[in-house]
């Protein structure tokens, strides 16, 4: 097996381990997919991976339910650096105005990875939020959303943001979506990362 093929398989396994170990609450192994300076970006959290693990564990203890499912992956390799895009869905369950609901958001994980001392790890995970929806868990139930508040939220993740605001999270309003200046800047960061430039902003 050539090195590029092995690197791609290793990166794909890392991405799959992220989801399985995070959603299973296997925090010790989950920590191993990151480099020590790894950063996680999400609608409700932006910061170091170690802090992300801590607050995710706290959310688990409070009953916060956020799960993930993966699709296909595209990986661009440049020596000891890589950018991976992986189709994904985020599924969050919670109460919205007294009605138990599921929100499903479709998008991509856009990952900056690097091989250090022979080990691939995540340096930055930046999701791209493409579209979402909200459904009552009970098909006979009805939930009425505040249309004004909903319209103020980004189109690609407005229902996800709505439910997260309901349970007390602060939601970042300028995350990359399917199109727009935020995702264009992200793609540019990815190109510069593969050219060996510092991660930057």
């Amino acid at each position: 097996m050539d090195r590029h093929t092995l690197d791609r398989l290793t990166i794909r396994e890392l991405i799959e381990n992220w989801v399985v170990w995070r959603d299973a609450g296997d925090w010790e192994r989950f920590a191993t997919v990151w480099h020590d300076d790894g950063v996680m970006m999400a609608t409700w959290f932006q910061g170091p991976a170690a802090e992300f693990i801590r607050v995710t564990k706290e959310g688990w203890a409070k009953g916060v339910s956020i799960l993930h499912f993966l699709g296909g992956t595209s990986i661009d390799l440049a020596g000891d650096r890589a950018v991976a895009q992986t189709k994904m869905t985020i599924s969050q369950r919670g109460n919205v105005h007294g009605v138990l609901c599921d929100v499903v958001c479709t998008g991509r994980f856009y990952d900056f990875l690097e091989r250090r001392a022979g080990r691939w790890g995540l340096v930055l995970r930046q999701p791209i939020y493409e579209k979402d929806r909200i459904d009552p868990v009970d098909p006979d139930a009805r939930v009425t959303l505040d249309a004004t508040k909903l319209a103020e939220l980004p189109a690609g993740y407005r229902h996800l943001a709505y439910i997260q605001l309901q349970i007390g999270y602060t939601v970042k309003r300028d995350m990359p979506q399917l199109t727009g200046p935020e995702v264009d800047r992200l793609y540019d960061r990815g190109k510069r990362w593969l050219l060996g430039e510092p991660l930057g902003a």
Side-chain angles (χ1 to χ4, degrees), residues 50-98:
E51 182 70 5
F52 174 67
I53 295 170
R54 184 187 68 78
V55 297
T56 302
K57 290 168 70 175
E58 290 179 354
W60 265 54
K62 296 175 183 175
V64 175
S65 173
I66 305 175
L67 301 174
H68 305 80
F69 190 81
L70 296 181
T73 296
S74 175
I75 299 169
D76 292 311
L77 282 167
D80 290 330
R81 287 188 171 188
V83 169
Q85 297 186 62
T86 307
K87 291 294 296 180
M88 58 82 178
T89 60
I90 302 167
S91 176
Q92 180 160 358
R93 176 168 290 186
N95 279 294
V96 181
H97 306 311

Side-chain angles (χ1 to χ4, degrees), residues 159-180:
H159 297 92
L160 184 63
Y162 194 96
I163 195 172
Q164 290 174 346
L165 290 168
Q166 289 290 306
I167 60 177
Y169 286 117
T170 299
V171 173
K172 188 171 172 59
R173 307 293 181 98
D174 60 350
M175 299 294 269
Q177 300 176 70
L178 183 58
T179 59

Side-chain angles (χ1 to χ4, degrees), residues 24-52:
D26 191 344
W27 309 118
E28 185 174 339
R29 287 203 289 178
F30 180 60
T32 68
V33 305
W34 302 91
H35 283 307
D36 289 343
D37 58 347
V39 171
M40 178 67 197
M41 299 292 289
T43 53
W44 61 276
F45 175 88
Q46 305 88 44
E51 182 70 5
F52 174 67

